Amino acid sequence: MSAATTNAALRPTEPFPLPSDLSLVRRLKLLLSFSRADLSVSPVDEWQLKSALLAFLRNPPLSLSLVQDSDLSVSRLPDLQKRRRDDPVASGILYVRDLSFLHPSNRKGDDGAKEMTQEKEEEKYLQWRSSLVEKLAGIELNLKGVMYQMSVEIPAFDDFKAMKKSWEDFYASELVSIRNPVRKIAKRPDTILVRGVPSRWFAETRISSKASTLVTHTIFSALGKIRTLNISNDDEFGASKDGTNKGLISGLNCKVWVQFESYDDFHNAMKALCGRSLEKEGSRLKVDYEVTWDSEGFFRNAQYEPAQTKLEERDAPVHGSRKHYTPRIESDHRKRFRD
């Protein structure tokens, strides 16, 4: 079965198996923002804020009893004394990882379970996600007389429909800006960028802890036919703006550009990667990477940047004077074909 066929038949609650004992598991990620709903100036208690929100999530009407303490993080924003009254005072991230209650086979007495298609199940998941966001947006939490109002949003890299609309609008605007009607050819993306994946999961076992091109190519080939890829360290991923993460070891995470042979493979890969976590058999770690499409033409730009050899470095311009450089193709042409 091809990768495109596998992606088309994938249900939203089913894991997507990958080589090297990896799998993509569906989860919901929500970005939270907390603002004061009263005139209080008391300090923000992160633990109380998290406890109150967990109690609200686990009890009716939401009844998300399977949300773990580790699935919710709340952090106070810095420099609260410099913020305006309407500005957020804390932020948070909520993960809903157990979505088994959405699977038709897990509901007793559901006669339509067997008739539930992949498209219907996907639509049901999106409806549930929208409903949850609406219920959470604007709620007020009372912490011993201090009121906080919460706002909720879905990350852009977790919303496949919004992502698809962004690249369609991008290339449509490029098409309109081209004045020459002969050059007006519709373009579509073919490259994805995945950030924040552990380098050791993409490395050759017992050989190195650095990501291997061969292993990475094998893993992403399960999503579609690859034309080329590039791997580099991603030390900036997850780094806090206040610099508290500066002590992290370099090379723990990597980012991967993957260019697919066709738009269909790119499209299916984006759909499979959006809204999922990366898990490895035998590990409790759940990697919440970020995925987006390449709008800057990474491989296209790299193609026109010639690698600088030692000879070119020696002949580099000094004090503003530039050496004449003859392209290699032309010099070879003169050597082989002389008049």
Side-chain angles (χ1 to χ4, degrees), residues 171 174 187 259 294-305:
Y171 285 105
E174 274 198 345
K187 297 180 181 180
Q259 185 180 38
D294 178 27
S295 60
E296 299 178 357
F298 176 81
F299 292 106
R300 184 174 64 253
N301 296 334
Q303 182 180 1
Y304 295 102
E305 293 179 0

Side-chain angles (χ1 to χ4, degrees), residues 39-168:
L39 301 179
S40 174
V41 293
S42 59
V44 178
D45 192 320
E46 301 172 357
W47 183 83
Q48 287 188 0
L49 198 58
K50 178 178 178 177
S51 300
L53 184 55
L54 282 174
F56 177 79
L57 293 171
R58 292 168 178 170
N59 294 321
L62 297 181
S63 301
L64 297 175
S65 57
L66 297 177
V67 173
Q68 304 296 320
D69 290 2
S70 58
D71 294 334
L72 175 63
S73 62
V74 177
S75 58
R76 180 177 51 189
L77 296 177
D79 300 328
L80 295 182
Q81 66 276 9
K82 299 180 181 180
R83 296 178 177 270
R84 296 177 297 181
R85 183 168 297 277
D86 296 336
D87 291 342
V89 295
S91 62
I93 300 177
L94 171 65
Y95 293 100
V96 182
R97 302 189 184 275
D98 194 327
L99 304 176
S100 57
F101 61 92
L102 291 173
H103 201 282
S105 60
N106 293 340
R107 290 197 289 268
K108 298 180 180 180
D110 191 353
D111 297 334
K114 297 181 179 180
E115 300 178 359
M116 181 75 75
T117 62
Q118 185 269 342
E119 292 78 9
K120 290 183 179 179
E121 190 172 340
E122 180 72 23
E123 182 180 355
K124 193 172 189 64
Y125 165 75
L126 295 177
Q127 290 177 353
W128 169 82
R129 187 182 68 176
S130 300
S131 175
L132 179 63
V133 171
E134 290 178 1
K135 292 177 181 178
L136 290 177
I139 68 169
E140 292 187 353
L141 300 172
N142 188 344
L143 304 182
K144 297 182 178 180
V146 181
M147 300 293 295
Y148 293 93
Q149 188 174 35
M150 186 177 73
S151 59
V152 184
E153 66 173 324
I154 301 173
F157 51 82
D158 265 24
D159 193 339
F160 174 72
K161 287 188 175 181
M163 193 103 65
K164 183 177 180 180
K165 187 177 185 304
S166 68
W167 76 60
E168 288 176 346

